Amino acid sequence: MPRPDPRKSCPIDLALQGGGSHGAFTWGVLDRLLEEDWLKLEAISGTSAGAMNAVVLADGYEHDGPAGARKALETFWRKVSDAARFSPFQRTPLDILLGRWTLDSSPAYLMMDMMARLVSPYQMNPAGKNPLTEILEECVDFGRLVASPVRVFITATNVATGRGRVFRNAELSPQVLLASACLPTVYQAVEIDGVPYWDGGFSGNPTLTPLIEDCAAEDTILVQINPIERPGTPRTAREIQSRINEVSFNAVLLKELRMAAIMRKVADAGHAEGSRWGSMRLHRIASDIMLDLGSSSKMNAEWAFLTMLRDKGREAADAFLQEHGDDIGKRPSFDLDELIRDH
């Protein structure tokens, strides 16, 4: 008799970061993970682009299992690219010739970036239009999400209090997703039940707490698209702004990870209050490709760029499964203790 696969039916949670069109990298990671029948997806926590990926996946999964989830993700990102086809934010001919994905030289992007420091979105976009509204309405059956076997946690930031709010399946709508992805210099705050919200990345990118406290799976895979470390000192104005963006959108996540590391030590010391956090087995999928991409490319929605990121995401997920697939269900593969050591 053949020996049973020790990895069979491992329940997992996913934590998906936001980052504009860089979320296409996460699409590729999810596309590869959904090919593995032994990975049983229980819940997803997502912010901004991570929220979009989470909800599209959960809806597709409810409709037709893993195959439906993979198809739904491709449809969503194709519609995003189609909607941006006539956007003024395009690469220059020189960037295209040199194979650069940046929009740093795009006249429309440079003008928007400068205007965002002087004029509010309430003046530039008084009607509050967002092209993602129609895409989400076309791609997601929000009523069906209530019955999805995949639990979804979406974070948005309360403008008045600065605290994050986590929305669950039954509360989800296009407005919730737009709130989770609302950059305050580009879009008007999104009101939900009379409360204004901004991008969830300010308060949790993504939020790990509901995965740990409300879910049974003990393995969480973090898909990270904002680099934690970047070698060298930023010197140009563009490099400095890009690094500020990465640091600010990683800050809350790093605090949660440090708390998890501390609670694990509490649990190891025999204190029951640390047991749930201490039992979490964390894994991470990331790629060095993100070190080569500046913040302006987060607004590049060319299909060639999105599919390049998708392919890189699939490669990163495949490498993770080859190297750490056997760790799932047994041990963490991401060293949390490194986060609490003095440097």
Side-chain angles (χ1 to χ4, degrees):
M1 294 283 293
R3 296 178 61 186
D5 187 342
R7 303 180 304 181
K8 188 176 182 180
S9 298
C10 286
I12 63 167
D13 295 330
L14 297 174
L16 310 181
Q17 277 199 320
S21 62
H22 290 186
F25 172 85
T26 302
W27 163 31
V29 171
L30 299 176
D31 191 67
R32 177 64 185 89
L33 295 180
L34 286 165
E35 294 177 346
E36 300 294 323
D37 293 337
W38 59 280
L39 294 177
K40 302 304 178 184
L41 183 56
E42 179 191 6
I44 311 175
S45 178
T47 296
S48 192
M52 310 285 176
N53 279 317
V55 168
V56 170
L57 183 155
D59 179 52
Y61 201 101
E62 168 60 16
H63 175 61
D64 192 24
R70 295 179 65 198
K71 183 178 179 180
L73 285 166
E74 180 169 5
T75 299
F76 170 76
W77 284 102
R78 170 65 79 174
K79 286 184 177 294
V80 168
S81 180
D82 288 345
R85 189 174 298 166
F86 302 107
S87 166
F89 304 127
Q90 303 288 342
R91 290 184 295 161
T92 65
L94 180 60
D95 288 328
I96 295 173
L97 180 64
L98 297 177
R100 298 187 302 218
W101 298 110
T102 179
L103 296 181
D104 287 352
S105 302
S106 165
Y109 176 81
L110 292 172
M111 182 178 296
M112 186 276 295
D113 188 46
M114 181 177 65
M115 291 295 291
R117 304 169 194 271
L118 303 172
V119 184
S120 88
Y122 293 86
Q123 296 168 299
M124 288 195 294
N125 183 12
K129 295 288 186 180
N130 189 322
L132 281 174
T133 304
E134 292 183 7
I135 295 174
L136 291 169
E137 290 173 345
E138 292 174 6
C139 291
V140 180
D141 183 338
F142 287 89
R144 187 164 57 197
L145 275 174
V146 178
S148 176
V150 180
R151 301 176 66 185
V152 181
F153 305 99
I154 302 302
T155 302
T157 303
N158 185 313
V159 176
T161 66
R163 293 193 293 267
R165 175 179 170 182
V166 177
F167 296 85
R168 291 161 169 79
N169 292 56
E171 303 170 296
L172 298 177
S173 67
Q175 290 302 102
V176 169
L177 295 182
L178 295 178
S180 182
C182 178
L183 291 173
T185 58
V186 179
Y187 297 109
Q188 297 182 23
V190 178
E191 288 198 5
I192 300 171
D193 299 328
V195 178
Y197 290 93
W198 281 343
D199 196 297
F202 297 119
S203 54
N205 192 21
T207 302
L208 298 179
T209 302
L211 298 179
I212 296 169
E213 297 185 349
D214 298 346
C215 301
E218 295 185 344
D219 288 86
T220 297
I221 300 177
L222 168 66
V223 183
Q224 191 159 27
I225 57 179
N226 294 298
I228 292 179
E229 296 186 7
R230 183 179 287 274
T233 302
R235 298 191 179 277
T236 68
R238 182 66 58 192
E239 290 172 346
I240 292 170
Q241 190 61 41
S242 180
R243 187 56 183 154
I244 288 173
N245 181 284
E246 290 172 347
V247 171
S248 62
F249 280 101
N250 275 329
V252 180
L253 172 65
L254 288 173
K255 286 183 179 179
E256 278 198 294
L257 292 175
R258 289 190 184 100
M259 182 171 70
I262 292 170
M263 295 304 286
R264 174 174 294 167
K265 290 186 177 297
V266 171
D268 291 343
H271 298 287
E273 60 267 25
S275 58
R276 192 71 189 100
W277 281 82
S279 64
M280 179 184 69
R281 294 186 289 264
L282 185 68
H283 314 275
R284 183 174 73 124
I285 298 177
S287 173
D288 288 343
I289 184 65
M290 296 305 172
L291 294 173
D292 299 327
L293 302 175
S295 60
S296 69
S297 64
K298 292 180 180 181
M299 298 191 71
N300 182 351
E302 295 176 53
W303 185 241
F305 182 53
L306 299 182
T307 52
M308 182 277 290
L309 287 173
R310 177 203 61 193
D311 294 344
K312 293 295 183 181
R314 283 188 56 87
E315 291 174 10
D318 192 67
F320 166 80
L321 290 170
Q322 293 290 332
E323 187 173 356
H324 297 296
D326 289 331
D327 293 330
I328 298 176
K330 299 177 183 177
R331 64 188 74 87
S333 61
F334 182 61
D335 184 12
L336 282 175
D337 292 338
E338 176 68 20
L339 298 173
I340 58 176
R341 296 189 185 111
D342 292 331
H343 292 281

